[in-house]
Amino acid sequence: MDEEFKKLLIENGADVETTIKRFMGNEGLYLKFLMKFPDDKNYESIQEHIAEGNYEAAFNDAHTLKGVSANLGLNPIYEGASRLVELLRGKQPEEVDVEEVNRVKDELGEKCSFFRQLLKEHA
């Protein structure tokens, strides 16, 4: 991983150093998995399920995205997905604060788009 790319990730909230340690110091392996993130479809599933009012499925998608982003050290995405998970956890449809869920979903989408673009530019 070149230093400029690493610096951009870190400046934008990614925890690169800790995550590389989690990958047993294998920067190449970390990069291999990181570069697969743009293909992850969990955010698109979140959007679809929220639009349908299927909050349980949206919860599951957000929970999966939370795990993926945590494993990759993409902390801004992890934090947004975590917030969405907590907004949806154990809620019946009538208990969901739809306005807040949509606000958090949109913020999460911006973070996902940003990192996808950054990764594509440095592929």
Side-chain angles (χ1 to χ4, degrees):
M1 174 183 314
D2 74 39
E3 288 304 311
E4 179 187 332
F5 178 46
K6 190 177 199 177
K7 182 179 175 191
L8 277 171
L9 287 168
I10 293 168
E11 286 174 351
N12 287 286
D15 188 359
V16 175
E17 296 303 329
T18 300
T19 308
I20 290 173
K21 288 176 188 172
R22 190 175 315 125
F23 278 80
M24 298 177 288
N26 189 333
E27 195 172 286
L29 183 61
Y30 169 58
L31 192 57
K32 176 183 173 183
F33 281 94
L34 183 63
M35 290 310 202
K36 292 181 180 190
F37 180 76
D39 298 326
D40 185 276
K41 300 299 179 207
N42 282 297
Y43 180 73
E44 288 73 16
S45 293
I46 291 168
Q47 289 180 297
E48 180 181 318
H49 289 127
I50 288 175
E52 294 169 350
N54 187 345
Y55 299 115
E56 185 176 348
F59 167 84
N60 290 330
D61 299 328
H63 196 273
T64 301
L65 181 57
K66 175 182 164 184
V68 168
S69 57
N71 286 329
L72 295 175
L74 299 175
N75 291 352
I77 296 171
Y78 168 79
E79 291 162 5
S82 295
R83 178 75 178 120
L84 194 54
V85 162
E86 292 312 311
L87 288 169
L88 297 172
R89 184 184 304 278
K91 299 274 181 19
Q92 296 300 313
E94 63 275 5
E95 298 173 314
V96 172
D97 181 343
V98 177
E99 187 176 312
E100 182 67 3
V101 163
N102 279 308
R103 186 187 69 72
V104 171
K105 172 194 56 92
D106 292 345
E107 288 176 2
L108 178 59
E110 291 172 12
K111 294 170 185 174
C112 286
S113 293
F114 174 81
F115 277 100
R116 284 176 174 167
Q117 187 61 38
L118 182 64
L119 294 171
K120 286 178 182 177
E121 288 173 3
H122 290 86

